[in-house]
Amino acid sequence: MQEHTPADSGAKTWSERFSEPVSDLVKRYTASVFFDQRLARHDILGSLAHARMLARQGIIGADDLRASEDGMARVLAEVDAGTFVWNLDDEDVHLNIEKRLTALIGDAGKRLHTGRSRNDQVATDIRLWLRDEIDGIVGLIGDFQRAILDLAGKHAATPMPGFTHLQVAQPVTFGHHMMAYFEMTQRDKERFLDARKRLNRLPLGAAALAGTAYVIDRESVAAELGFDGVCGNSLDAVSDRDFAIEFTAAAALLMTHLSRLSEELILWMNPRFGFINLPDRYCTGSSIMPQKKNPDVPELVRGKTGRVNGHLMALLTLMKSQPLAYNKDNQEDKEPLFDTVDTVVDTLRIYADMLSGLNAKDDGVRPENMRRALAEGFATATDLADYLVKKGLPFRDAHGIVARAVKAAEQRGCDLPQLSLDELREFSPVIEADVHAVLTVEGSLASRAHTGGTAPEQVRAAIARARVLLK
Ligand code: ARG
């Protein structure tokens, strides 16, 4: 290669065979540098591991390696300091960094790309980057879960209505309700860690698609970069983005769980429920209605779930018709992936803080309103039916008896426990004085004392198990 600095001529790194430059529009359309510069640190990490392997294999000289290491340290310092000048002419993060390295160290910088292509390079960069992000997200899920456990612990015995069809169904404790979200997010965490296992393989060595004729040592590069092994097929290594899809699917599920919780917080904030009172810093007012306190943060979580679901769809669609191996389509994987990570990270952070705030606020949780809602919903009707079954009635008969009792209580404007023993016995003579222990909310809760049940001691046991998992 003759001495030629494309930076000066404005020509592209690969442009020697072309007879005219690309138009400005095409340049902008095809460039990724304004978003993929986010991969710079991992790009440099991967390049250095590649360079060390090339030197070990005698493909580049020890002096080239030393120059590359020194040069890359300077490039990284510039990136970190924000002084690195990103250039649209150089298309993407890889070419920008290579160009800068070459400007700093000369020919050694040009030798770095030996036995490698941007195709295996970018696949490596995204995996390295996403692996770190997954570790961060798993930690943030842990923070969210700790906030859930604190709230659940404080309210392990606080009765609230459990709902089906959004109608009062049976008493549960607020702690039990919160612990449902521990379970969901625990599975989310497992899904992220599972995706991490599959993505943790090294694409480098696949080169453009067919591998490389240089005698490389992929395994040592994999080990240096903390991969569990190398990708087993060069075509697959450069072309598939299933790991990004898997990650985004896990993210969409996590967001879906947080969206369900958000929906509940929004309902509970409504004075007709009045179960919670979010701290003011998570709400906003209205510019026209002075009385308003709107639960904007949970509403936005619910809204942003749509955004992550959209990214999942975008990535699936991106992949579905691509022939092997690499196609430029894949450059479109980054923005959805980046935005998914940003959305999930911000959402988890704000959520953990919001739940802690709810827990710390005196009237953050409002047990008196939960109890009032319970009293209005005949929440212990099932307990009465179970009581009749224990006294020997078939369940279907018990169901009918209780339905009549509920109707009577409704006409009288009271709840089941307010009916006297005599009144209750009109519906069935098997009812005795012990019935009232069953009809109370506390009695109902206490009776569900199996693993996974809502009895306060079971909620405490679930919290204890969860704390062990979080250690
Ligand atoms: N910027 C590209 C991407 O994100 C890097 C790989 C480009 N390879 C190529 N042959 N054009 O996918």
Side-chain angles (χ1 to χ4, degrees):
M1 248 236 220
Q2 78 269 52
E3 276 311 309
H4 168 87
T5 359
D8 301 334
S9 64
K12 294 236 175 208
T13 305
W14 40 255
S15 64
E16 310 265 354
R17 85 179 284 289
F18 289 83
S19 53
E20 58 176 3
V22 295
S23 74
D24 281 348
L25 183 57
V26 170
K27 211 186 276 178
R28 236 181 329 110
Y29 195 74
T30 55
S32 55
V33 64
F34 290 116
F35 50 86
D36 70 9
Q37 54 181 265
R38 186 166 174 166
L39 298 171
R41 165 170 292 276
H42 296 91
D43 189 69
I44 292 171
L45 205 67
S47 286
L48 286 175
H50 178 68
R52 288 187 194 112
M53 182 276 291
L54 291 179
R56 277 196 301 279
Q57 299 297 104
I59 300 167
I60 62 170
D63 48 337
D64 286 330
L65 172 61
R66 219 171 307 114
S68 286
E69 288 177 327
D70 292 348
M72 280 301 200
R74 288 173 63 186
V75 173
L76 183 59
E78 290 176 8
V79 170
D80 284 345
T83 55
F84 190 98
V85 183
W86 299 101
N87 186 357
L88 185 68
D89 282 328
D90 296 326
E91 215 173 301
D92 58 22
V93 60
H94 323 292
L95 294 179
N96 267 267
I97 287 179
E98 187 187 315
K99 188 72 79 59
R100 179 66 187 140
L101 181 73
T102 303
L104 288 170
I105 67 170
D107 279 357
K110 296 183 192 163
R111 291 203 181 93
L112 183 62
H113 211 53
T114 314
R116 180 177 79 164
S117 152
R118 276 185 294 154
N119 296 353
D120 58 346
Q121 186 177 0
V122 71
T124 302
D125 292 2
I126 310 171
R127 287 174 191 240
L128 282 172
W129 172 82
L130 191 54
R131 198 176 68 181
D132 282 352
E133 294 297 337
I134 289 175
D135 293 343
I137 287 170
V138 165
L140 289 173
I141 294 177
D143 295 344
F144 167 86
Q145 290 179 316
R146 268 179 278 275
I148 289 278
L149 294 187
D150 291 344
L151 201 51
K154 191 157 149 194
H155 294 284
T158 302
M160 72 171 266
F163 297 89
T164 60
H165 313 272
L166 202 55
Q167 308 294 317
V168 172
Q170 294 179 340
V172 296
T173 74
F174 184 59
H176 191 56
H177 193 109
M178 283 297 116
M179 286 303 287
Y181 288 99
F182 176 85
E183 296 284 328
M184 292 179 230
T185 50
Q186 189 63 15
R187 292 193 297 277
D188 289 322
K189 207 195 290 180
E190 288 171 14
R191 268 185 283 270
F192 282 116
L193 289 172
D194 205 49
R196 187 192 195 284
K197 271 185 225 154
R198 269 181 296 282
L199 78 75
N200 203 28
R201 306 237 155 224
L202 175 76
L204 274 182
L209 77 165
T212 175
Y214 295 96
V215 184
I216 57 170
D217 175 8
R218 301 183 68 203
E219 282 71 16
S220 70
V221 180
E224 179 174 339
L225 292 174
F227 285 108
D228 294 327
V230 302
C231 296
N233 178 289
S234 63
L235 298 164
D236 175 49
V238 293
S239 68
D240 206 350
R241 296 291 182 267
D242 58 351
F243 63 90
I245 296 173
E246 240 188 294
F247 168 83
T248 308
L253 271 170
L254 168 66
M255 289 299 292
T256 297
H257 291 148
L258 297 178
S259 180
R260 295 186 71 187
L261 179 54
S262 299
E263 172 77 5
E264 299 198 314
L265 297 183
I266 294 161
L267 286 170
W268 297 343
M269 266 294 276
N270 183 302
R272 285 168 197 227
F273 279 83
F275 290 2
I276 60 163
N277 190 9
L278 283 176
D280 285 357
R281 64 182 183 281
Y282 298 103
C283 301
T284 62
S286 156
S287 53
I288 179 168
M289 298 165 283
Q291 84 284 10
K292 291 295 287 292
K293 179 174 162 185
N294 299 329
D296 286 38
V297 169
E299 287 173 54
L300 268 174
V301 172
R302 197 173 54 184
K304 284 173 190 285
T305 302
R307 178 178 176 129
V308 173
N309 288 352
H311 293 327
L312 173 60
M313 230 20 78
L315 289 174
L316 282 166
T317 310
L318 174 69
M319 207 70 245
K320 74 175 272 291
S321 303
Q322 283 194 53
L324 295 184
Y326 176 87
N327 304 279
K328 190 81 166 188
D329 312 40
N330 276 345
Q331 181 164 287
E332 287 289 308
D333 65 352
K334 285 166 206 67
E335 286 164 295
L337 199 53
F338 292 165
D339 190 70
T340 298
V341 165
D342 291 341
T343 305
V344 164
V345 165
D346 283 353
T347 302
L348 284 169
R349 279 212 189 112
I350 204 163
Y351 233 112
D353 193 55
M354 185 168 65
L355 292 180
S356 307
L358 192 68
N359 202 15
K361 190 169 159 34
D362 281 341
D363 66 342
V365 177
R366 307 178 70 184
E368 67 289 0
N369 289 340
M370 294 180 180
R371 198 175 274 276
R372 190 171 315 130
L374 262 173
E376 286 163 5
F378 305 102
T380 54
T382 314
D383 297 87
L384 180 56
D386 290 340
Y387 170 90
L388 294 172
V389 168
K390 281 187 196 140
K391 297 277 178 182
L393 294 189
F395 184 80
R396 278 295 156 225
D397 293 345
H399 189 281
I401 290 167
V402 176
R404 288 196 291 281
V406 165
K407 207 164 162 188
E410 204 167 33
Q411 273 157 7
R412 275 199 37 198
C414 71
D415 191 12
L416 289 174
Q418 275 85 54
L419 295 176
S420 69
L421 183 56
D422 285 344
E423 283 170 305
L424 283 167
R425 285 174 63 88
E426 277 171 32
F427 303 105
S428 170
V430 306
I431 295 176
E432 293 170 77
D434 57 355
V435 72
H436 281 100
V438 164
L439 287 183
T440 64
V441 164
E442 273 69 18
S444 171
L445 291 173
S447 66
R448 285 156 172 82
H450 51 80
T451 307
T454 192
E457 93 253 16
Q458 282 300 333
V459 176
R460 290 190 193 100
I463 295 170
R465 286 196 301 272
R467 292 228 185 258
V468 172
L469 286 175
L470 277 188
K471 282 240 167 74

